[in-house]
RNA sequence: CGGGGCGUGGCGCAGUUUGGCUAGCGCGUCGGCUUUGGGAGCCGAAGGUCGCCGGUUCAAGUCCGGCCGCCCCGACCA
């Protein structure tokens, strides 16, 4: 390929609204251009990279025994009614009606479609296991797109779905996908961390996320500094402290006036104490009952953990009116002492290690000091209810500490169980002739997000540094003097020889000054640069430079093609 | 949706405070000459409803109101 016959449009300066390196560089180098917030063009360079990533994914999926298919973007409402997700999926799918008034959504995911498909085709356990996948554009009406390709409304995703007769089969299918993912990221040069994760709106268990640690990521992961433990912040847990023995109370609790002190900060200031001596009482509504969640004053309640403990999906914070009814006080003074019997009290493990603490009095403008667990109030149960913070002790080893990192989520794998197969009637007969719901797994890779992640991980102040496997071209030949017939012929010959050897090579034959070509080559980030200029003629040597580290090589002109192929093999 | 910032040729910006005459600058683009191993020089040229609508005024890029778009921070996810 020649630059003059291709489509390369770099920008001298980065667009001013591009903030993070991947967005800045991908746009400046002419890989992507925004069309609307969270909606992008992939220009020819960007599209090559996207397809190369897709191809790696495809090869590894096939190698793992998955079979590719292609499903529609538009999905009828009825399908989503059957799974119960039409009104609950977040963010709400983009919806529209066709000319007859039939409602559809733009598929944000494909459990409904694939489960229905497989339900029709597969009726016997003998036809299992099956794993199907597609690489397709997904639509999510994100509340806020951001960070270039990191979070967008329209993106390329590989989604795979496994169907097994039982849990043991699912475990095998899941492990195969896990291994395939490890290979995918390895081939793309991405150093990912596999972390424990929550299932979110997909529903499921044993979920793992493949994360790239990166300051521009939107997720937070916690890793133990001593063992292998790594988890998304949403579900990270720390080792609970030793509970204090009961009966160590310093004295009886005392009601104190705290006029206007409705927040942890106000209470600590007014009582001249610290937040870790306060018990925060958060009233929640779970289904039709109320729960009081207790966490230390300086901690954040993790609603996901509480919902998991309560085994409900229907959990929310109580509203002001409910709080006032339960506490018979204004919002801001809830406490565990004297709540109605019907309110279940669940305390975070840390509460058991506190003594003489401050709690809300369930009375407007008042708190209770010197309150003690087991004496003045008794939680119905203890559980892990809080978000961990950096420095917390690891839950999995003796003396490790958790450290927090920002990360980009690149892939997510779940065990779904029978949630969708039951709802959508994906049943098979087992050996005994009984109907059983197929056991499903679901496995997603953010293909277009990977492109941004690679750039985030691999760039310098001059531009992108593509790993060879996904680079738009492996080699760029800079013909510095296109008007010199000898050089032009030599460059064309070298280009053709490399192409004949299967090399993805680009010849920069533009009428541009050397500096423009050098700078564009570094910005675009080809792994290997070949320069043909006056010096080539004088020395009989062709100059090569490796993008990653700037390492230079000189090879004799006549054997250049083979030498270049050799150097490429080592990249 | 809440909070903050920003909308002026393809890209980056000035001008808006204090309204005033043909709306400027750099890059890029087109033509010409020179130059030619790290984003060239000179000459000439094209390209803009100043985000949109309405209002104030003799006069609006500039003041007022409404709307739209984009970016960043918070609740979601590949």
């Amino acid at each position: 390929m020649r630059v003059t016959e291709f489509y390369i449009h770099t920008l001298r300066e980065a667009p001013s609204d591009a903030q993070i390196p991947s967005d800045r560089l991908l746009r400046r180098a002419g890989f992507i251009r925004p069309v609307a917030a969270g909606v992008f063009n992939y220009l020819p360079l960007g599209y090559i990279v996207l397809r190369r990533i897709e191809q790696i994914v495809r090869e590894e999926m096939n190698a793992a025994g998955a079979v590719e298919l292609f499903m529609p973007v538009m999905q009828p409402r009825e399908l989503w009614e059957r799974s119960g997700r039409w009104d609950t999926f977040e963010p709400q799918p983009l919806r529209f009606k066709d000319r007859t008034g039939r409602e559809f959504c733009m598929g944000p995911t494909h459990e409904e479609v694939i489960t229905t498909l497989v339900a029709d085709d597969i009726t016997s356990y003998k036809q299992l296991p099956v794993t199907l996948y597609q690489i397709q554009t997904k639509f999510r009406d994100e509340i806020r797109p951001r960070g270039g390709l990191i979070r967008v409304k329209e993106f390329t995703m590989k989604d795979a779905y496994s169907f097994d007769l039982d849990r043991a089969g699912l475990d095998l299918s899941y492990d195969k996908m896990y291994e395939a993912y490890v290979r995918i990221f390895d081939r793309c040069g991405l150093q990912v961390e596999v972390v424990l994760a929550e299932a979110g709106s997909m529903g499921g268990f044993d979920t793992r996320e493949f994360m790239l640690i990166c300051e521009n990521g939107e997720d937070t992961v916690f890793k133990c500094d001593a063992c292998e433990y790594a988890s998304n912040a949403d579900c990270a847990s720390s080792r609970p402290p030793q509970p204090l023995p009961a009966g160590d109370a310093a004295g009886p609790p005392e009601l104190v006036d705290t006029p206007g002190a409705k927040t942890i900060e106000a209470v600590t200031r007014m009582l001249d104490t610290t937040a870790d001596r306060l018990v925060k009482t958060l009233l929640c509504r779970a289904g039709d009952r109320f729960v009081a969640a207790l966490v230390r004053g300086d901690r954040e309640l993790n609603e996901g953990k509480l919902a998991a403990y309560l085994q409900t999906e229907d959990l929310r914070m109580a509203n002001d009116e409910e709080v006032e009814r339960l506490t018979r006080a204004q919002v801001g003074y809830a406490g565990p002492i004297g709540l109605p019997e019907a309110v279940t009290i669940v305390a975070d493990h840390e509460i058991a290690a506190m003594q003489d603490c401050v709690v809300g009095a369930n009375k407007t403008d008042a708190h209770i000091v010197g309150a003690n667990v087991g004496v003045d109030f008794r939680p119905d149960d203890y559980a892990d209810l809080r978000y961990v913070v950096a420095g917390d002790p690891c839950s999995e080893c003796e003396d490790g500490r958790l450290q927090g990192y920002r990360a980009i989520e690149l892939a997510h794998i779940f065990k779904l169980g029978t949630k969708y197969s039951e709802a959508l009637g994906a049943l098979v007969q087992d050996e005994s002739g009984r109907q059983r719901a197929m056991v499903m797994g679901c496995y997603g890779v953010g293909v277009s997000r990977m492109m941004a992640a690679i750039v985030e991980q691999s760039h310098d102040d001059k531009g992108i540094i593509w790993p060879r496997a996904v680079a738009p071209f492996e080699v760029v030949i800079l013909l510095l003097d296109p008007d010199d017939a000898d050089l032009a012929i030599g460059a064309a010959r070298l280009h053709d020889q490399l192409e004949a050897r299967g090399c993805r090579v680009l010849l920069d034959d533009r009428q541009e000054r050397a500096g423009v070509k050098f700078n564009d080559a570094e910005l675009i980030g080809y792994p290997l640069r070949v320069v043909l200029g006056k010096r080539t003629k004088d020395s009989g040597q062709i100059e090569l430079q490796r993008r990653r580290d700037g390492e230079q090589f000189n090879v004799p002109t006549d054997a250049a093609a083979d030498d270049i192929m050799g150097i490429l093999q080592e990249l």
Side-chain angles (χ1 to χ4, degrees):
Chain A
M1 183 58 72
R2 285 164 162 74
V3 171
T4 52
E5 295 167 352
F6 198 53
Y7 191 92
I8 289 184
H9 296 277
T10 58
L11 299 173
R12 184 73 170 266
E13 291 171 275
S16 59
D17 59 358
Q19 306 283 324
I20 65 172
S22 58
D23 193 26
R24 219 177 332 111
L25 291 171
L26 286 170
R27 282 165 66 183
R28 189 150 97 80
F31 286 71
I32 59 170
R33 290 286 154 71
V35 175
V39 181
F40 284 87
N41 285 316
Y42 290 84
L43 314 204
L45 280 175
Y47 192 45
I48 292 176
V49 174
L50 191 71
R51 288 195 325 249
R52 292 202 64 80
I53 297 171
E54 284 179 11
Q55 188 55 28
I56 288 170
V57 171
R58 184 174 280 122
E59 286 169 13
E60 292 301 336
M61 293 306 293
N62 293 347
V67 182
E68 187 169 13
L69 84 172
F70 196 67
M71 291 180 274
V73 166
M74 54 190 283
Q75 303 182 17
R77 170 175 181 158
E78 303 86 78
L79 221 41
W80 285 70
E81 298 276 11
R82 288 177 63 194
S83 68
R85 292 206 293 181
W86 180 257
D87 291 313
T88 60
F89 193 89
E90 290 291 333
Q92 190 181 83
L94 285 163
R95 299 171 173 184
F96 63 99
K97 292 179 181 172
D98 71 6
R99 63 176 65 221
T100 69
R102 187 176 183 191
E103 279 191 275
F104 291 86
C105 68
M106 306 273 275
T109 181
H110 281 72
E111 281 82 8
E112 281 78 5
V113 175
I114 192 120
T115 307
T116 307
L117 175 82
V118 171
D120 289 342
D121 287 336
I122 293 191
T123 54
S124 160
Y125 76 96
K126 294 179 186 171
Q127 296 159 324
L128 297 177
V130 165
T131 298
L132 295 166
Y133 77 97
Q134 67 172 345
I135 299 172
Q136 195 219 31
T137 303
K138 292 279 191 279
F139 295 84
R140 297 207 181 158
D141 194 4
E142 293 293 344
I143 303 159
R144 184 161 89 79
R146 74 186 106 181
L149 291 184
I150 301 282
R151 175 160 226 80
V152 291
K153 293 192 177 217
E154 181 180 324
F155 59 98
T156 305
M157 177 168 162
K158 187 285 299 179
D159 46 322
Y161 306 86
S162 67
F163 297 84
D164 280 277
L165 179 65
D166 53 27
R167 268 300 299 272
L170 168 61
D171 291 347
L172 287 175
S173 296
Y174 178 94
D175 289 346
K176 279 189 195 170
M177 287 297 109
Y178 188 121
E179 295 304 320
Y181 278 26
V182 169
R183 284 193 296 273
I184 287 166
F185 294 115
D186 184 52
R187 285 181 63 181
C188 292
L190 283 163
Q191 283 146 29
V192 297
E193 302 278 341
V194 185
V195 308
L196 300 166
E198 279 195 317
S201 52
M202 298 300 165
F205 49 96
D206 273 9
T207 86
R208 295 288 185 282
E209 288 169 335
F210 291 71
M211 295 283 206
L212 178 73
I213 304 289
C214 169
E215 61 186 10
N216 292 313
E218 343 173 64
D219 286 87
T220 302
V221 302
F222 282 92
K223 290 172 55 177
C224 176
D225 58 16
C227 75
E228 296 298 300
Y229 180 75
S231 174
N232 190 306
D234 292 336
C235 56
S237 60
S238 61
R239 181 153 37 85
Q242 283 296 320
L244 291 176
D248 273 6
E254 191 185 339
L255 187 71
V256 295
D257 288 334
T258 52
K262 299 182 175 188
T263 62
I264 296 289
E265 197 201 357
V267 174
T268 54
R269 208 175 325 112
M270 192 169 290
L271 299 178
D272 192 26
T273 183
T274 51
D276 60 1
R277 301 191 63 87
L278 268 57
V279 171
K280 190 153 59 175
T281 303
L282 298 153
L283 292 162
C284 298
R285 177 156 191 165
D288 51 7
R289 66 182 177 132
F290 289 96
V291 176
L294 272 38
V295 295
R296 220 170 74 180
D298 56 340
R299 306 306 195 190
E300 291 261 4
L301 172 68
N302 183 324
E303 287 185 54
K305 285 183 177 180
L306 180 59
Y309 166 80
L310 297 170
Q311 298 187 316
T312 180
E313 287 173 24
D314 181 19
L315 179 77
R316 61 169 173 81
M317 297 295 287
N319 60 36
D320 289 5
E321 182 260 321
E322 290 163 341
V323 172
E324 285 170 12
R325 179 157 47 83
L326 293 170
T327 64
R328 293 185 302 277
Q330 287 177 15
V331 174
Y333 303 96
I337 302 174
L339 283 174
E341 280 293 313
V343 177
T344 307
I345 300 177
V346 188
D348 181 73
H349 292 302
E350 277 184 331
I351 300 296
M354 295 172 72
Q355 63 179 19
D356 292 332
C357 37
V358 179
V359 301
N362 294 319
K363 179 169 180 291
T364 300
D365 294 337
H367 281 76
I368 292 170
V369 300
N372 282 284
V373 190
V375 178
D376 305 306
F377 62 98
R378 292 176 191 281
D380 295 290
D381 199 2
Y382 289 92
D384 175 18
L385 297 182
R386 69 175 179 93
Y387 282 101
V388 303
V389 297
D392 278 345
C394 177
S395 59
E396 300 300 313
C397 70
E398 281 301 307
D399 42 26
R401 297 275 163 181
L402 299 181
Q403 303 299 337
Y405 304 87
R406 300 290 286 176
I408 301 172
E409 180 189 347
L410 298 176
H412 200 159
I413 58 179
F414 315 70
K415 293 179 183 173
L416 289 173
T418 55
K419 174 176 171 173
Y420 296 97
S421 49
E422 282 175 15
L424 297 157
L427 309 175
V428 287
Q429 283 192 306
D430 66 14
E431 282 180 283
S432 62
R434 270 200 314 267
Q435 295 282 342
R436 287 167 64 167
M438 289 184 246
V439 183
M440 294 174 56
C442 139
Y443 318 91
V445 174
V447 175
S448 45
R449 185 182 277 179
M450 278 176 71
M451 180 165 148
I454 291 166
V455 178
E456 287 291 331
Q457 184 192 274
S458 185
H459 69 270
D460 61 18
D461 55 349
K462 293 174 179 165
I464 302 169
I465 303 171
W466 290 109
R468 181 185 166 208
V470 298
F473 295 93
E474 297 163 286
V475 175
V476 65
I477 300 171
L478 303 189
L479 173 57
L480 296 188
D481 194 349
D483 292 330
D484 182 314
D486 292 341
L487 274 181
I489 290 166
R493 186 184 303 128
L494 179 59
H495 167 272
D496 293 348
Q497 288 170 343
L498 286 169
E499 249 183 15
R501 285 163 172 75
C503 178
R504 297 180 293 113
V505 57
L506 184 70
L507 173 58
D508 192 346
D509 56 346
R510 291 176 297 176
Q511 292 285 349
E512 287 287 354
R513 313 197 91 217
V516 172
K517 296 186 180 187
F518 284 129
N519 283 309
D520 271 354
E522 278 150 0
L523 176 62
I524 291 168
Y526 313 100
L528 192 62
R529 185 186 81 186
V530 178
V531 178
L532 271 76
K534 269 216 176 66
R535 288 187 206 162
T536 315
K537 279 180 102 168
D538 298 344
S539 66
Q541 299 260 304
I542 289 179
E543 280 174 43
L544 312 180
Q545 188 181 54
R546 192 157 62 195
R547 176 69 179 89
R548 186 168 296 282
D549 54 8
E551 179 82 9
Q552 304 241 11
F553 310 86
N554 285 299
V555 299
T557 305
D558 34 3
D562 287 328
D563 289 345
I564 289 168
M565 292 309 287
I567 288 166
L568 265 186
Q569 293 308 319
E570 290 161 23
L571 281 181

